Structures are given as C-alpha cells and as structure tokens.
Amino acid sequence: MRRLAPLALAYGQGLPLRSVFRELSGGLVMVGYAMMLVQFVLSGRFEQVSGQIGIDRTMRFHQVAAWAVLGLILVHPLLYAAPRLYPDPLEAVATLNRMFASPSLRTG
C-alpha cells in the first residue's frame, strides 16, 4: 500500500493528467541521469565494486551502460514530439525545432 502513496498524492493534487509520452519521457530521463551518476562510482576503480567481479568486467559494464544512458537521454526529447508524428510529421519537426531553439528549454 505504501508503494502507491506517491501516485495517490499526485492524483490528489487535482492537476490534469499528462500524456503517456510525457510520462515516459520524464521517466527515461530520470533513469538516464541516475545511471549517469552511478557511472562515477563504477569507473572509480573502487575495490568494493571491482574487487569482487574484476576490473575488466566492471569497465565493460561501464561502456555498455554509457551507451544505454546516451540512448535514454537522446530519446527523451523525441518523445515530446511523438504524439504529433501521425497527424502531421512536419508539426512534430517544428515542435522539436521550437523546443531546441527556446532559451528556457535549451539547458534541459
């Protein structure tokens, strides 16, 4: 029951529901940034981490995870334009152009 508490609190705010694409995009970028933070621990050659499985396996996992992080973060902005792809692909491209050109969204 405690696992559903964040959902209940979010629903209790009375805000309109967001689309699946926005939720998925937000989730992907959060997972991507969490994985990026874990990369600092894995690449630090800490004996507690790499001593058990070996530095070669640790570094290989680090390389594979880095590609996964890159993929998650690159897919993130594309999901905002995905709902507009079917009706009008040019509108989806225009949405991405506006998003990357906006000074307030450029740092995201």
Side-chain angles (χ1 to χ4, degrees), residues 44-103:
R45 297 179 186 241
F46 294 108
E47 185 64 30
Q48 294 85 3
V49 176
S50 61
Q52 301 293 323
I53 59 173
I55 193 68
D56 292 333
R57 286 185 179 161
T58 303
M59 286 296 121
R60 182 63 186 148
F61 176 77
H62 175 71
Q63 290 172 344
V64 171
W67 283 107
V69 167
L70 179 66
L72 291 172
I73 292 175
L74 287 178
V75 168
H76 159 69
L78 299 176
L79 286 174
Y80 283 112
R84 294 177 183 86
L85 272 175
Y86 176 66
D88 187 10
L90 292 177
E91 176 61 30
V93 173
T95 299
L96 286 174
N97 284 337
R98 282 191 304 270
M99 186 177 3
F100 288 122
S102 171

Side-chain angles (χ1 to χ4, degrees), residues 7-19:
L7 290 175
L9 289 172
Y11 182 74
Q13 291 179 351
L15 297 173
L17 297 177
R18 294 181 358 161
S19 73

